[in-house]
Amino acid sequence: MRFVSFGFFLFFSFLYAQYPDNHSCKECHEQIYEEYQGSGHAKSYFTNELHKKVADKVSESAYSCATCHMPAADNIGQLLGGTARPNIDNKTHSDGVSCFFCHTLAYVKTAHSFNENIKARQVEGYKPTLYGRLENPDDSDKHSSVTNPVYAQNVCKGCHSHKRNESNATVFGAMQEGQNSLDCIKCHMPEASGGAEKMDKKARGKHVSHRFLGIYDKEFRKKGVDINVTVEAENLLVGLHNTMAHPLIIQPARAKYLQITIMRGGDLLWKSYQNDPKEDKQAYFASAYSQHGKSVILPAKATHSVTHNLEANEKRVLRYSIPKLKKGDQVIVTLYVQMAKNECAEVIDLEDKSLLEPQLIKEVLYTQN
């Protein structure tokens, strides 16, 4: 799988006169830097085991994920072309989705297979210009600052919109046509106290958080899906409402599922599945891939993909036949996420086994009156 275009190389062919690495931003933006360090954007090929091993499995030569996972690389064309490999000693590689990269986007070019982030040219010999949403932003001795409407409209769409592989199979899709970045920002970058700079010269008092809250934040992930339980005679109705502006499942390696148990006096009365959560097909949300009709695990090799999903803002009711409940019986509905599906272990050897373990998203308890 190799995502290459002439336009992409054209805009990345120039050398930066200066590359301010992530740590250099801390001098003025200490709070934002600390937030960013705990985010998914700060993870790189060298610190995200699942990503690294999947990328290496796809190709031992070309690093085709660099477009979004190592976008500031000073030799990105060579990485995509397979004539260079990620180098941990190169800051433009190890910085992940770097501060400098995100804040020097000129615009996002929409394309069928994947969108392209088009960088603004930085003139050699001059301090760089960084872009953002702030009105009347401050300049500094490190960089000048400019307001750019792309940061409210399309900045997230360069990497988080969609991606299709060389066979036109969907690898992931997060944003609907017509959505803008404000749909992402209001949830994943909520306002936080403190100005954007350590020296809050313009007394703004607040900034958007750069933690990029997501599935790894235990409190944040509770907010994504509302669950309600209704019992009608011998029927259990579990209502799900995806309150997010994107589908429940986006990443191809991930699975989310419900475990439903009914307890009577401390004993298990009923369970929605016995051994594998995939037994309950209506409550197991994940992507599956095939290559010319044969099941495959790596989406890069797929010719067809299908995702059992809960779409953005979708409401759905799951129905189960259960034993007739007595007063005091408890129905426990638990939503889990598995960062790497069991199938992943068939093609890559993960040292961090917690990636294969179910992690709690939220739990709802119903007691029969």
Side-chain angles (χ1 to χ4, degrees), residues 6-57:
F6 174 75
F8 181 84
F9 281 124
L10 176 65
F11 280 93
F12 277 88
S13 61
F14 63 91
L15 294 176
Y16 295 131
Q18 175 186 359
Y19 173 72
D21 64 20
N22 290 340
H23 190 266
S24 68
C25 301
K26 183 179 181 181
E27 180 179 340
C28 296
H29 305 282
E30 187 172 29
Q31 184 175 350
I32 288 177
Y33 173 81
E34 296 299 336
E35 292 167 351
Y36 167 86
Q37 284 297 98
S39 75
H41 280 189
K43 290 186 176 181
S44 71
Y45 171 89
F46 307 102
T47 57
N48 185 334
E49 184 195 2
L50 177 60
H51 168 71
K52 180 181 185 299
K53 291 195 172 179
V54 169
D56 289 351
K57 191 72 176 181

Side-chain angles (χ1 to χ4, degrees), residues 160-365:
H160 294 279
S161 175
H162 66 282
K163 181 171 285 188
R164 297 178 178 91
N165 66 14
E166 289 181 337
S167 299
N168 204 36
T170 298
V171 174
F172 74 83
M175 298 178 72
Q176 299 173 348
E177 189 173 348
Q179 275 188 308
N180 62 37
S181 294
L182 290 179
D183 292 325
C184 311
I185 291 167
K186 67 183 180 183
C187 287
H188 296 282
M189 299 182 73
E191 281 194 339
S193 60
E197 294 181 309
K198 187 188 299 184
M199 296 293 292
D200 192 8
K201 293 177 286 188
K202 295 189 177 178
R204 290 189 172 96
K206 292 184 178 180
H207 67 279
V208 292
S209 170
H210 283 61
R211 290 174 61 195
F212 300 104
L213 294 166
I215 193 66
Y216 286 94
D217 187 284
K218 293 181 181 179
E219 291 302 314
F220 179 78
R221 68 190 184 201
K222 293 178 183 178
K223 303 174 183 179
V225 180
D226 290 339
I227 303 173
N228 65 76
V229 178
T230 305
V231 176
E232 298 175 355
E234 296 180 8
N235 294 302
L236 171 64
L237 309 180
V238 178
L240 302 177
H241 178 201
N242 177 14
T243 63
M244 298 178 286
H246 58 73
L248 181 63
I249 284 295
I250 299 171
Q251 290 83 356
R254 198 166 293 167
K256 296 178 182 177
Y257 61 88
L258 293 179
Q259 180 187 78
I260 309 170
T261 56
I262 300 178
M263 305 298 294
R264 177 176 291 169
D267 296 324
L268 178 64
L269 179 66
W270 181 89
K271 188 178 178 182
S272 55
Y273 64 85
Q274 297 306 308
N275 299 304
D276 190 330
K278 287 191 288 186
E279 296 169 22
D280 183 6
K281 294 181 181 180
Q282 66 175 333
Y284 185 83
F285 302 93
S287 297
Y289 302 91
S290 60
Q291 185 181 51
H292 304 301
K294 183 179 179 181
S295 177
V296 294
I297 297 170
L298 293 174
K301 302 179 183 298
T303 55
H304 181 72
S305 66
V306 60
T307 302
H308 182 228
N309 224 335
L310 198 63
E311 297 300 327
N313 299 307
E314 181 182 352
K315 295 181 179 179
R316 188 181 302 178
V317 177
L318 311 184
R319 299 174 182 271
Y320 299 88
S321 296
I322 60 171
K324 187 173 180 62
L325 298 188
K326 296 179 180 180
K327 184 177 180 180
D329 287 351
Q330 292 186 320
V331 179
I332 306 167
V333 180
T334 311
L335 178 62
Y336 289 105
V337 60
Q338 198 172 353
M339 302 301 181
K341 298 177 293 189
N342 291 337
E343 297 96 304
C344 292
E346 298 176 23
V347 293
I348 56 175
D349 181 21
L350 290 168
E351 295 179 15
D352 183 1
K353 302 303 181 186
S354 69
L355 293 167
L356 297 164
E357 296 298 322
Q359 298 186 34
L360 176 68
I361 296 180
K362 71 186 306 179
E363 186 171 273
V364 173
L365 175 65

